[in-house]
Amino acid sequence: QVQLVESGGGSVQPGGSLRLSCTAAGFELDAYGVGWFRQAPGKAREGIASISKSAGRKYYADSVRGRFTISRDWPKSTVYLEMHGLKPEDTAIYYCAARTSMPGQPDWWDEGKYDAWGQGTQVIVSS
């Protein structure tokens, strides 16, 4: 069974940092583009970052650019989302997703382009 697993969520104060991890069970994550999405309470899920299979292409939503960094570790077959300068509005459930097609500028944020999803990890930013 193809499955993604997120980890690293938690509660932090504003200005704090977290690193989320995304791993895969049942397939090699290295062969896929990976995106991070989040869903805040009462809001639609939104794409916030995406990375190509080679890591040569990275995309960020305006709301997180400059604070979040997406990367991948091939030996560990893991994709990370480093989050710094966290704000209360970053509070959400964070999901990773994998896609066989190359993420690009027109559609890296489109969740319909992603083929497999994790269950999510909660991030709470509060004082």
Side-chain angles (χ1 to χ4, degrees):
Q1 183 178 358
V2 172
Q3 187 175 1
L4 294 175
V5 180
E6 304 93 341
S7 61
S11 295
V12 295
Q13 293 186 340
S17 300
L18 283 173
R19 186 177 76 166
L20 305 183
S21 300
C22 175
T23 58
F27 67 101
E28 290 293 330
L29 190 60
D30 296 348
Y32 292 78
V34 175
W36 282 98
F37 293 76
R38 68 184 181 186
Q39 187 166 22
K43 295 187 177 181
R45 189 159 58 185
E46 63 170 341
I48 57 172
S50 186
I51 188 168
S52 63
K53 182 173 62 174
S54 69
R57 298 185 182 187
K58 299 179 183 180
Y59 303 93
Y60 298 95
D62 290 344
S63 58
V64 306
R65 186 176 292 112
R67 299 187 298 124
F68 292 10
T69 302
I70 190 170
S71 63
R72 60 192 318 159
D73 184 328
W74 286 277
K76 295 183 178 180
S77 197
T78 300
V79 172
Y80 300 104
L81 185 69
E82 295 264 4
M83 306 187 295
H84 300 286
L86 284 162
K87 306 174 182 180
E89 52 263 44
D90 294 317
T91 294
I93 299 174
Y94 284 70
Y95 302 87
C96 67
R99 60 187 284 172
T100 54
S101 57
M102 173 77 79
Q105 189 58 43
D107 67 6
W108 68 265
W109 47 267
D110 184 352
E111 60 182 82
K113 301 293 186 181
Y114 291 80
D115 308 297
W117 290 80
Q119 294 298 308
T121 185
Q122 177 79 58
V123 172
I124 298 174
V125 184
S126 175
S127 56

